[in-house]
């Protein structure tokens, strides 16, 4: 089926928005490891006086002040699924539909994830990021990969570095091993981090179960078979990420995470009470209120394609705090890498054009890891890159 070429449908773009966030940019290659990039040692950087290192400076268009307003995203009570209340499920699906048509963000409560498990996952963030720098660098992410430690993504980029440390790892939904993450932690961080691995093994299992409930709710909200997206992601390969944002005495000059959309399908976030997550809606930055009992859900680029552009993958960013450290737990839901990403046939109306051609998650993932820094136009840029790659395979 032909598809309609269009500018990025990530939000309703006005002329002023286009000035702030250009619709496209040249692909950005990751730095060569031998380029001598800086090492992010937050303790030393915090003690520095004077100017912020230029690598961490962000352009003024990205540092537009927040309005101090909050996003009015719905708070969805998932206890309705356990109760089997179909009327309440239908009402919740309508709340989700309205939010996803506009900006793709909502929060869920009574989600079934044990609060003690969430607390334990936060405790283990410290176990990772308070390791000696040499130990963390020994577990650093390999070029083109996703798993491992990263300090300000200095291994990939040389400018507009985020003021944060991350530790990421893959979670295979279909693995027969109940220790896949424990084994990974042992292999890169040693025997002392086995307990940390066990905590995140349980956390990822809980996130997988929750993600499938949310996929069912999304299916209902779109009016397709309620099991369609649940089945599609049942055998996925998701990504877990721990974020640590140290305090920064020049917080007005940098960002914890720059403006971007998530290339993955669905993001399940728990943020601590410091706050800092903001979403760009109606040409202004709106804060997402931290709720200890809730998880923040947002649509990513891949699910936007699975909904034929109906549901929005919205621009968002994370601020840093001058005085307080900030932590967050992020679970990125992804399909199996060879799954063909296309909307279900019964979603498309008569004579409705496809907004995106077929693609696989593995190709989009490769694009974001090796060729392009995620921004407001990631999906559209990927589609153009894929077309060029298919027509001129010798150039890629």
């Amino acid at each position: 089926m032909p598809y309609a070429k269009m500018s990025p449908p990530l939000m309703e773009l006005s002329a002023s928005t286009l000035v702030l966030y250009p619709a496209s940019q040249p692909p950005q290659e990751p730095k060569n490891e031998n380029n001598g990039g800086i090492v992010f040692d937050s303790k030393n950087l915090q003690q520095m006086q004077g100017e912020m290192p230029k690598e961490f400076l962000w352009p003024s268009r990205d540092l537009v002040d927040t309005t101090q307003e909050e996003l009015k995203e719905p708070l969805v009570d998932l206890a309705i699924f356990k109760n089997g209340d179909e009327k309440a499920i239908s009402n919740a699906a309508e709340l989700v539909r309205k939010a996803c048509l506009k900006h793709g963000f909502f929060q869920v409560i009574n989600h079934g994830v044990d609060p003690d498990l969430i607390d334990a996952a936060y405790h283990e963030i410290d176990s990772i990021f308070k390791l000696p720098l040499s130990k963390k660098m020994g577990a650093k992410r390999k070029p083109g990969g996703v798993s491992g430690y990263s300090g300000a993504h200095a291994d990939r980029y040389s400018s507009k570095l985020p003021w944060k440390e991350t530790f990421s790892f893959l979670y295979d939904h279909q693995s027969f091993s109940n220790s896949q993450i424990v084994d990974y932690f042992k292999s890169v961080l040693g025997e002392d981090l086995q307990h940390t691995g066990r905590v995140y093994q349980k956390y990822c299992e809980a996130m997988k179960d929750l993600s499938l409930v949310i996929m069912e709710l999304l299916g209902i909200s779109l009016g397709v078979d309620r099991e369609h997206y649940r089945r599609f992601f049942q055998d996925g390969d998701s990504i877990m990420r721990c974020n640590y944002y140290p305090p920064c005495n020049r917080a007005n000059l940098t960002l914890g995470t720059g403006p971007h959309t998530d290339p993955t399908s669905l993001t399940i976030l728990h943020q601590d009470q410091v706050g800092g997550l903001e979403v760009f809606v109606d040409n202004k930055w709106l804060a997402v209120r931290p709720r200890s009992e809730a998880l923040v859900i947002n649509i990513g680029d891949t699910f936007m394609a699975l909904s034929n552009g109906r549901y929005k993958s919205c621009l968002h960013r994370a601020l840093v705090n001058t005085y307080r450290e900030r932590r967050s737990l992020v679970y990125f839901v992804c399909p199996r890498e060879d799954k063909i990403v296309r909307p279900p046939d019964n979603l498309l109306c008569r004579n409705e054009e496809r907004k995106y051609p077929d693609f696989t998650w593995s190709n989009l993932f490769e694009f974001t890891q090796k060729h392009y820094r995620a921004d407001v136009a990631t999906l559209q840029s990927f589609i153009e890159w894929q077309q060029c790659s298919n027509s001129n395979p010798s150039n890629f």
Side-chain angles (χ1 to χ4, degrees):
M1 180 184 292
Y3 73 97
K5 185 173 181 180
M6 59 186 293
S7 56
L10 306 181
M11 56 184 171
E12 296 300 322
L13 294 174
S14 69
S16 61
T17 306
L18 288 170
V19 171
L20 285 172
Y21 301 103
S24 62
Q25 66 181 50
Q28 298 185 37
E29 295 283 352
K31 291 176 4 178
N32 186 300
E33 270 201 309
N34 299 321
N35 282 355
I38 70 168
V39 173
F40 184 68
D41 185 344
S42 59
K43 291 180 181 177
N44 287 341
L45 288 171
Q46 287 176 61
Q47 294 166 0
M48 286 188 333
Q49 301 297 319
E51 294 186 1
M52 168 80 76
K54 68 181 188 306
E55 292 88 350
F56 291 95
L57 296 176
W58 283 73
S60 58
R61 68 178 181 272
D62 292 328
L63 295 170
V64 176
D65 287 340
T66 179
T67 61
Q68 302 302 317
E69 293 180 53
E70 289 187 346
L71 183 69
K72 300 297 192 294
E73 79 282 13
L75 191 62
V76 179
D77 188 344
L78 294 184
I80 53 176
F81 277 90
K82 190 175 293 184
N83 301 336
D85 186 337
E86 291 300 326
K87 188 175 189 315
I89 291 172
S90 178
N91 291 338
E94 180 60 17
L95 289 175
V96 167
R97 187 186 74 84
K98 288 180 177 177
C100 291
L101 289 172
K102 185 172 177 62
H103 50 64
F105 275 75
F106 57 98
Q107 297 201 45
V108 296
I109 57 172
N110 293 319
H111 40 64
V113 182
D114 188 338
D116 291 340
L117 179 57
I118 295 174
D119 289 344
Y122 273 111
H123 179 77
E124 297 308 324
I125 285 181
D126 291 340
S127 298
I128 297 169
F129 294 115
K130 291 187 177 177
L131 288 169
L133 182 61
S134 59
K135 188 81 168 176
K136 292 186 287 189
M137 293 302 289
K140 70 180 180 180
R141 183 176 57 195
K142 292 181 171 55
V146 69
S147 296
Y149 170 80
S150 176
H153 296 333
D155 56 324
R156 297 187 66 196
Y157 308 115
S158 57
S159 64
K160 297 198 298 183
L161 298 184
W163 191 268
K164 69 176 177 180
E165 298 177 79
T166 67
F167 192 82
S168 309
F169 42 95
L170 295 171
Y171 177 69
D172 179 358
H173 291 193
Q174 291 293 94
S175 175
F176 293 109
S177 169
N178 60 3
S179 63
Q180 56 175 302
I181 294 174
V182 179
D183 295 341
Y184 175 72
F185 271 75
K186 283 172 58 179
S187 69
V188 299
L189 292 174
E191 299 282 340
D192 292 345
L193 273 292
Q194 277 192 83
H195 175 71
T196 303
R198 281 193 289 272
V199 169
Y200 287 122
Q201 177 79 35
K202 292 178 181 176
Y203 191 85
C204 287
E205 289 167 358
M207 288 295 106
K208 174 199 151 183
D209 291 343
L210 172 60
S211 73
L212 297 179
V213 173
I214 295 171
M215 287 300 174
E216 185 173 342
L217 184 60
L218 289 171
I220 296 168
S221 73
L222 283 164
V224 300
D225 176 2
R226 65 191 294 164
E227 296 290 325
H228 176 83
Y229 293 117
R230 175 187 274 272
R231 287 193 298 265
F232 188 84
F233 287 94
Q234 182 74 46
D235 57 354
D237 295 296
S238 293
I239 301 165
M240 178 70 203
R241 177 167 296 161
C242 303
N243 289 321
Y244 173 66
Y245 303 86
C248 179
N249 57 17
R250 305 301 295 276
N252 61 319
L253 299 177
T254 192
L255 289 168
T257 304
H260 70 289
T261 61
D262 294 335
T264 48
S265 296
L266 193 74
T267 303
I268 305 176
L269 165 78
H270 194 283
Q271 57 175 339
D272 66 15
Q273 295 304 294
V274 176
L277 173 63
E278 295 187 336
V279 184
F280 196 69
V281 181
D282 296 330
N283 291 327
K284 55 189 174 183
W285 288 106
L286 303 176
V288 178
R289 179 191 298 185
R291 300 175 188 270
S292 60
E293 78 283 11
L295 290 159
V296 180
I297 313 298
N298 70 271
I299 299 295
D301 294 344
T302 301
F303 196 90
M304 184 166 65
L306 285 168
S307 70
N308 202 40
R310 283 174 171 74
Y311 283 2
K312 302 301 185 286
S313 176
C314 197
L315 196 70
H316 55 284
R317 68 181 184 181
L319 307 183
V320 288
N321 193 284
T322 303
Y323 307 105
R324 300 176 66 187
E325 59 189 8
R326 177 178 182 262
R327 301 172 180 84
S328 64
L329 300 161
V330 195
Y331 187 80
F332 298 105
V333 183
C334 311
R336 199 180 67 221
E337 62 177 16
D338 61 347
K339 280 276 183 77
I340 302 298
V341 175
R342 65 163 68 99
D345 292 338
N346 60 350
L347 177 67
L348 302 177
C349 302
R350 185 185 300 274
N351 299 323
E352 180 181 352
E353 291 186 307
R354 287 277 303 280
K355 292 192 169 90
Y356 309 99
D358 289 355
F359 63 89
T360 61
W361 162 239
S362 61
N363 283 347
L364 176 55
F365 180 73
E366 177 191 359
F367 177 70
T368 60
Q369 295 301 302
K370 297 182 179 179
H371 304 289
Y372 196 85
R373 186 171 185 172
D375 64 2
V376 71
T378 302
L379 184 57
Q380 189 64 34
S381 298
F382 163 70
I383 296 303
E384 293 169 3
W385 174 81
Q386 181 175 251
Q387 290 174 324
C388 291
S389 178
N390 291 340
S391 59
N392 299 290
S394 62
N395 293 337
F396 292 87

